Amino acid sequence: MSSSTVTARRLSAAALSAAAIVGAVALPASAADHARPDRTKVEISAVQYDSPGRDDRSRRSLNKEWVELTNTSRRTVNLDGWTLKNEDGDTYTFDHYRLEGRATVRIHTGRGHDTDSDLYMDRHNEVWDNYSDTATLRNDHDRFVDDESWGRHHRGHGGHHHGGGHHH
């Protein structure tokens, strides 16, 4: 065998070995690129749009009107800048609030002291129409996250729906 044939075989063997090593190293990285991350998911989980008892605009009455949001993922979601809006355009904007994984927060219409599980819009009037309305949740980039409708619009929107009762 000539020395050029031996050199060519050695180069081929070296190239094949290098390709096998690169392939073995690149495969896990490639597989990791296709793995689905644990996506954060916040949804409107319940709505109490018709406060029980008399609607007299008292703090007690207004705070019995609320929307619940649930984080169904394991990761904490920063809701700073997110909005919750009715069909009339009345908007609540979340300010420096983080919703823990697998947690629920209740956003009351009236006034109160914010906690991890209860936030207050500080409104003096009802926000959610008793007969027909849609609560829409958008993220801090104004992208649609979820909605909940009742009344005449009950089946007309893209979000999930929880039936026609007042309290879900």
Side-chain angles (χ1 to χ4, degrees), residues 51 54-62 126:
S51 63
R54 197 165 152 250
D55 288 340
D56 59 5
R57 295 187 183 159
S58 68
R59 177 185 289 199
R60 182 181 179 130
S61 174
L62 291 172
E126 292 83 5

Short mmCIF file of all heavy atoms in Angstrom, two decimals, residues 51 54-62 126:
data_model
loop_
_atom_site.label_atom_id
_atom_site.label_comp_id
_atom_site.label_asym_id
_atom_site.label_seq_id
_atom_site.Cartn_x
_atom_site.Cartn_y
_atom_site.Cartn_z
N SER A 51 -73.54 40.30 42.42
CA SER A 51 -73.28 40.10 43.84
C SER A 51 -74.55 39.67 44.56
O SER A 51 -75.62 40.21 44.30
CB SER A 51 -72.69 41.36 44.48
OG SER A 51 -73.61 42.42 44.42
N ARG A 54 -78.68 42.69 47.76
CA ARG A 54 -79.06 43.94 47.11
C ARG A 54 -77.83 44.66 46.56
O ARG A 54 -76.82 44.81 47.26
CB ARG A 54 -79.76 44.82 48.15
CG ARG A 54 -80.55 45.93 47.57
CD ARG A 54 -81.50 46.52 48.63
NE ARG A 54 -81.71 47.90 48.30
CZ ARG A 54 -81.25 48.92 48.98
NH1 ARG A 54 -80.59 48.72 50.10
NH2 ARG A 54 -81.47 50.14 48.58
N ASP A 55 -77.90 45.12 45.30
CA ASP A 55 -76.83 45.92 44.71
C ASP A 55 -77.02 47.36 45.16
O ASP A 55 -77.71 48.15 44.53
CB ASP A 55 -76.87 45.85 43.17
CG ASP A 55 -76.43 44.51 42.63
OD1 ASP A 55 -75.76 43.77 43.37
OD2 ASP A 55 -76.77 44.20 41.47
N ASP A 56 -76.39 47.73 46.27
CA ASP A 56 -76.58 49.07 46.83
C ASP A 56 -75.29 49.90 46.76
O ASP A 56 -75.20 50.95 47.36
CB ASP A 56 -77.09 48.99 48.26
CG ASP A 56 -76.15 48.24 49.19
OD1 ASP A 56 -75.03 47.86 48.74
OD2 ASP A 56 -76.52 48.02 50.35
N ARG A 57 -74.30 49.42 46.01
CA ARG A 57 -73.02 50.10 45.82
C ARG A 57 -72.22 50.27 47.11
O ARG A 57 -71.27 51.05 47.16
CB ARG A 57 -73.20 51.45 45.12
CG ARG A 57 -73.72 51.31 43.72
CD ARG A 57 -73.74 52.64 43.01
NE ARG A 57 -74.31 52.47 41.69
CZ ARG A 57 -74.82 53.45 40.98
NH1 ARG A 57 -74.82 54.67 41.46
NH2 ARG A 57 -75.31 53.22 39.80
N SER A 58 -72.59 49.55 48.14
CA SER A 58 -71.81 49.58 49.38
C SER A 58 -70.51 48.81 49.14
O SER A 58 -70.41 48.02 48.19
CB SER A 58 -72.58 48.94 50.53
OG SER A 58 -72.73 47.55 50.30
N ARG A 59 -69.53 49.03 49.98
CA ARG A 59 -68.27 48.30 49.87
C ARG A 59 -68.54 46.80 49.91
O ARG A 59 -67.98 46.04 49.13
CB ARG A 59 -67.32 48.70 50.99
CG ARG A 59 -66.02 47.91 50.95
CD ARG A 59 -65.12 48.21 52.10
NE ARG A 59 -64.57 49.54 51.95
CZ ARG A 59 -63.49 49.97 52.58
NH1 ARG A 59 -62.86 49.17 53.42
NH2 ARG A 59 -63.04 51.17 52.41
N ARG A 60 -69.39 46.39 50.83
CA ARG A 60 -69.71 44.97 50.97
C ARG A 60 -70.32 44.40 49.70
O ARG A 60 -69.93 43.34 49.22
CB ARG A 60 -70.66 44.80 52.15
CG ARG A 60 -71.03 43.38 52.43
CD ARG A 60 -71.99 43.30 53.61
NE ARG A 60 -72.34 41.93 53.84
CZ ARG A 60 -72.30 41.36 55.01
NH1 ARG A 60 -71.92 42.05 56.07
NH2 ARG A 60 -72.63 40.10 55.15
N SER A 61 -71.29 45.11 49.13
CA SER A 61 -71.94 44.66 47.90
C SER A 61 -70.94 44.62 46.74
O SER A 61 -70.89 43.63 45.99
CB SER A 61 -73.11 45.58 47.56
OG SER A 61 -73.66 45.24 46.31
N LEU A 62 -70.15 45.67 46.57
CA LEU A 62 -69.18 45.73 45.46
C LEU A 62 -68.11 44.64 45.58
O LEU A 62 -67.66 44.11 44.58
CB LEU A 62 -68.52 47.11 45.41
CG LEU A 62 -69.43 48.25 44.97
CD1 LEU A 62 -68.72 49.58 45.14
CD2 LEU A 62 -69.89 48.06 43.53
N GLU A 126 -70.64 49.09 40.20
CA GLU A 126 -70.47 47.75 39.68
C GLU A 126 -69.73 47.81 38.35
O GLU A 126 -69.87 48.77 37.59
CB GLU A 126 -71.83 47.07 39.47
CG GLU A 126 -72.59 46.76 40.74
CD GLU A 126 -73.39 47.94 41.29
OE1 GLU A 126 -73.44 49.00 40.63
OE2 GLU A 126 -73.94 47.80 42.39
#
